[in-house]
Amino acid sequence: MSKSRAEAAAGAPGIVLRYLQEQNRPYSAQDVFGNLQKEHGLGKAAVVKALDQLAQQGKIKEKTYGKQKIYFADQDQFDTVSDADLHSLDASIMALTAKVQGLQQSCRHMEAELKELTSALTTPEMQTEIQELKEECARYTERLKNIKAATNHVTPEEKEKVYRERQKYCKEWRKRKRMTTELCDAILEGYPKSKKQFFEEVGIETDEDHNVTLPDP
C-alpha cells in the first residue's frame, strides 16, 4: 500500500462518519466507497473496515437486509424536529425544486439558442455568400442573354428531323450488330479456338471494346 493510500485509510473512519452525518441518509458500503473514492482516494476495503468499526463503536447504525448491510448516522445525535419544522422543510424543498426546474428549463433554452447562434453564419460570411450569389446570378443572366440573342436556334421541325434520323441509324446499327453476331456464332461452331482469338485474328472490334452502348430505341 502506498503512503498516500495508507494515510487515507487511517483517516477513513473520520471521513466516513462526517459524510454519513452530513448526508443523514442510509448507504451501502458500495455507495459510500463510490461517493468518497474520487475525492478522498479511499479503497473499498478501507471503507468497509471504517463502517464496521464505527458501527461497533456505536457512532453509526447498521441494518442488514438479506445479504446487504445498510449504514446510517445515529439519529439520537440530532435534535427532534417538530411537525411544523418538517412542513416548513417540505415547503422549502418544493420551492427549491421548482426553482431548480425553472433554471434547468432556462439553461435548455439558452443552450438551444447558443447552438442556433453557433451554427449561423457570421456577418462577414453572409456578406461573402451574398457576393458569390450575386456573381453567380450575373453569370447566368449573361448566359441567358447570349442564348436569347443567338440566331441559330433549332426549330421544332429540325429537332424532329434529327430525332427521326437518330432512330433510323440506331435501328440499322442494331440490325447489323445482330447479323454480325449471328454470323460469328455460326463460324465459331466449327472454329477450333476461342471467340476472343477469332476476333483478334479477323480484326473484329466490338462496341464493348470501345465502351460504346447502343442507345435505347
Side-chain angles (χ1 to χ4, degrees):
M1 181 182 296
S2 63
K3 184 178 179 181
S4 58
R5 179 62 64 88
E7 292 174 349
I15 295 172
V16 172
L17 178 61
R18 184 168 58 255
Y19 177 75
L20 290 178
Q21 289 176 339
E22 290 174 352
Q23 300 300 316
N24 194 22
R25 54 169 293 182
Y27 286 108
S28 67
Q30 180 63 39
D31 292 333
V32 177
F33 164 67
N35 295 337
L36 298 179
Q37 177 191 25
K38 185 175 181 180
E39 182 178 355
H40 298 282
L42 295 177
K44 186 173 182 179
V47 170
V48 172
K49 182 178 179 181
L51 288 168
D52 290 339
Q53 178 182 332
L54 291 169
Q56 291 172 5
Q57 293 172 351
K59 295 181 179 180
I60 64 174
K61 296 297 183 181
E62 171 188 288
K63 292 288 185 181
T64 302
Y65 296 94
K67 296 182 179 180
Q68 188 177 43
K69 290 183 178 181
I70 299 298
Y71 302 90
F72 52 92
D74 184 359
Q75 299 301 298
D76 293 337
Q77 64 181 305
F78 299 113
D79 295 333
T80 302
V81 181
S82 65
D83 290 342
D85 291 336
L86 288 175
H87 288 311
S88 177
L89 288 172
D90 288 340
S92 177
I93 290 172
M94 291 179 63
L96 290 173
T97 300
K99 185 176 181 180
V100 169
Q101 291 175 345
L103 290 172
Q104 289 175 336
Q105 182 69 17
S106 177
C107 285
R108 284 193 290 269
H109 287 160
M110 287 189 287
E111 286 174 355
E113 185 177 356
L114 177 61
K115 184 177 180 181
E116 183 178 352
L117 291 173
T118 303
S119 61
L121 294 175
T122 63
T123 300
E125 289 173 339
M126 291 181 66
Q127 291 174 340
T128 300
E129 185 169 348
I130 290 172
Q131 184 60 32
E132 291 175 352
L133 290 173
K134 285 182 177 179
E135 293 174 358
E136 185 178 2
C137 185
R139 290 194 298 270
Y140 283 125
T141 301
E142 183 65 21
R143 183 179 176 186
L144 180 60
K145 179 180 177 181
N146 294 335
I147 292 174
K148 289 182 177 179
T151 57
N152 59 342
H153 294 299
V154 177
T155 64
E157 293 78 11
E158 291 173 328
K159 180 180 178 181
E160 181 62 25
K161 180 182 178 182
V162 170
Y163 182 72
R164 287 197 304 270
E165 288 180 350
R166 176 183 179 276
Q167 284 186 315
K168 173 185 175 182
Y169 293 130
C170 286
K171 183 178 180 181
E172 187 65 23
W173 180 0
R174 193 172 289 103
K175 175 183 176 182
R176 295 191 180 190
K177 183 173 183 177
R178 183 177 63 254
M179 292 172 60
T180 303
T181 301
E182 292 174 352
L183 179 60
C184 288
D185 288 343
I187 294 173
L188 286 169
E189 288 181 2
Y191 189 72
K193 300 180 181 179
S194 67
K195 182 178 180 179
K196 182 179 180 181
Q197 290 174 318
F198 171 67
F199 280 8
E200 290 177 351
E201 291 182 4
V202 177
I204 296 177
E205 296 181 352
T206 65
D207 294 338
E208 291 72 21
D209 291 336
H210 296 277
N211 295 321
V212 176
T213 303
L214 183 63
D216 295 329

